Amino acid sequence: MRVFVPRHHLGHRPELDLSDGLPGVAHPEVPGRVDAVLAGVAAAVSVDRVDVESQALRAVRALHDADYVDFLLELGASLTGATQYLPAMFGSDLREAPLRHRAGMYCREVGTPITAGTVPAALNAASAAEQAARSMVETGEDAMALCRPPGHHAGRRRYGGYCFFNNAYVAVSALRQRFAKVAVVDVDYHLGDGALEFAGEAFPYYSLHADPCANYPYWDRAALQRPHAHLTTFPADVCGAAYLALAATVIDSALAAAPDALVLSLGFDTLGSDGIQDAKTRLVVEDFLGLGRLVARAPCPVLLLLEGGYDVRQLAACSHGFVSGFAPGRS
Ligand code: Q9C
Ligand code: ZN
């Protein structure tokens, strides 16, 4: 399997995570996640690794609002060294405010610091998603992109949840060159509140997640009703068997819509030992094998995109399990 690995993610080293309102918690979205996931994949299948150096500025501009992209580029360029930028002011119209106070227009969570290397890394992650999608357009075969930073919390003009640009919908845009209907299936622990904004008839969004009102993104119940978004919540203390039964239902309903390609937003933060969870699941490493088998049912090409997953010591075992379940029987 072709695996697209962004190279500039190493320049993105967030330190401050204030998203629980508690200073001093080490940031979980660490560079080591990418190599851990890659090691697990490479132990399960033969990997054709493609290092990605490029930045998907054009694709990101086509998906996100111009003032949002311009703001991130300008703010990122203003930072030097290891400075960790977090917004201090929040409000919907801060256009006249100094640059450092404008982030509050675009952010609803203070767990996503920006450093000098962050925006180049986010554009490079989007590029890995785009390159993987182009590879699928050319070959019609499954591909994988180890996007970091992740993307599913990034909306049209909003960052947060460790995400800046919506890698999955960047991929969707590229896939639509060949595939008329593209379903996005999101199995990250969290609801992809950014992805919700991009769902459409030709690119519906299906997600299985922890209760998004009681877990990050702590969403308004009313805002969950979005066209072309099919949302399923798992119980707070879900076990592997119950989780996989729900996952089968979600995946089968996505496949029932007869997509020509599928994008899987693959988060490993459903693992019970992942520290990000507000309510603990009972999933174990072996459950990712079962999940891989369910996704392998897709009769169309599948693009695997990394989202969350923060138990770094278990990530290789999780990705190994997933790919071991997924790869057999796929060309
Ligand atoms: N104790 C992704 O998995 N902090 N983002 C939540 C809960 C934000 C996670 C704190 C979590 C964002 C892509
Ligand atoms: Zn997550």
Side-chain angles (χ1 to χ4, degrees):
M1 180 160 55
R2 272 194 201 165
V3 180
F4 292 78
V5 184
R7 296 306 300 156
H8 298 293
H9 81 88
L10 294 168
H12 175 52
R13 295 171 183 275
E15 284 168 16
L16 284 166
D17 184 354
L18 304 185
S19 57
D20 273 325
L22 303 171
V25 177
H27 206 290
E29 209 283 275
V30 294
R33 299 175 57 245
V34 167
D35 282 348
V37 172
L38 181 60
V41 174
V45 287
S46 128
V47 164
D48 178 6
R49 172 182 172 152
V50 184
D51 287 316
V52 178
E53 296 280 355
S54 48
Q55 309 224 313
L57 188 55
R58 187 190 298 259
V60 159
R61 283 200 185 281
L63 193 65
H64 294 272
D65 287 1
D67 63 311
Y68 171 70
V69 179
D70 289 341
F71 165 76
L72 285 176
L73 289 169
E74 193 181 347
L75 183 86
S78 77
L79 303 170
T80 52
T83 304
Q84 306 269 319
Y85 170 85
L86 292 176
M89 297 298 299
F90 295 89
S92 55
D93 188 355
L94 295 163
R95 280 175 296 179
E96 308 294 321
L99 175 65
R100 69 180 179 282
H101 287 311
R102 272 180 249 150
M105 287 191 287
Y106 306 113
C107 183
R108 69 181 277 273
E109 175 260 6
V110 290
T112 309
I114 299 173
T115 67
T118 296
V119 180
L123 289 168
N124 186 223
S127 191
E130 187 182 38
Q131 298 296 320
R134 285 185 180 156
S135 158
M136 253 174 71
V137 164
E138 276 168 31
T139 66
E141 286 175 13
D142 303 333
M144 182 172 206
L146 300 184
C147 299
R148 177 180 177 273
H152 75 156
H153 297 302
R156 245 175 242 294
R157 50 187 298 105
R158 199 155 46 82
Y159 75 94
Y162 317 155
C163 303
F164 301 90
F165 303 125
N166 202 296
N167 304 317
Y169 276 90
V170 164
V172 165
S173 306
L175 288 170
R176 300 250 303 134
Q177 296 283 323
R178 167 168 173 180
F179 305 104
K181 183 155 193 171
V182 182
V184 176
V185 174
D186 189 337
V187 294
D188 186 276
Y189 175 86
H190 305 95
L191 166 69
D193 52 326
L196 277 185
E197 295 183 12
F198 297 107
E201 185 165 13
F203 27 86
Y205 177 68
Y206 297 79
S207 179
L208 175 60
H209 44 255
D211 179 356
C213 303
N215 291 265
Y216 189 85
Y218 313 112
W219 210 237
D220 313 335
R221 214 166 281 281
L224 295 171
Q225 304 294 328
R226 302 274 310 203
H228 312 295
H230 307 269
L231 309 184
T232 306
T233 295
F234 56 68
D237 60 347
V238 70
C239 69
Y243 175 86
L244 290 172
L246 285 170
T249 308
V250 169
I251 291 164
D252 286 348
S253 76
L255 296 180
D260 303 296
L262 195 145
V263 174
L264 187 75
S265 271
L266 178 54
F268 295 107
D269 45 3
T270 47
L271 184 70
S273 60
D274 198 301
I276 206 77
Q277 302 176 357
D278 284 290
K280 293 288 165 199
T281 72
R282 289 182 279 151
L283 265 67
V284 296
V285 165
E286 290 70 35
D287 294 319
F288 288 97
L289 187 101
L291 184 62
R293 285 192 181 129
L294 292 175
V295 178
R297 291 178 182 180
C300 59
V302 177
L303 180 51
L304 306 172
L305 287 191
L306 181 62
E307 296 284 356
Y310 308 99
D311 185 353
V312 179
R313 285 178 309 182
Q314 297 298 324
L315 275 180
C318 292
S319 62
H320 181 268
F322 180 88
V323 173
S324 302
F326 174 73
R330 301 200 57 97
S331 56

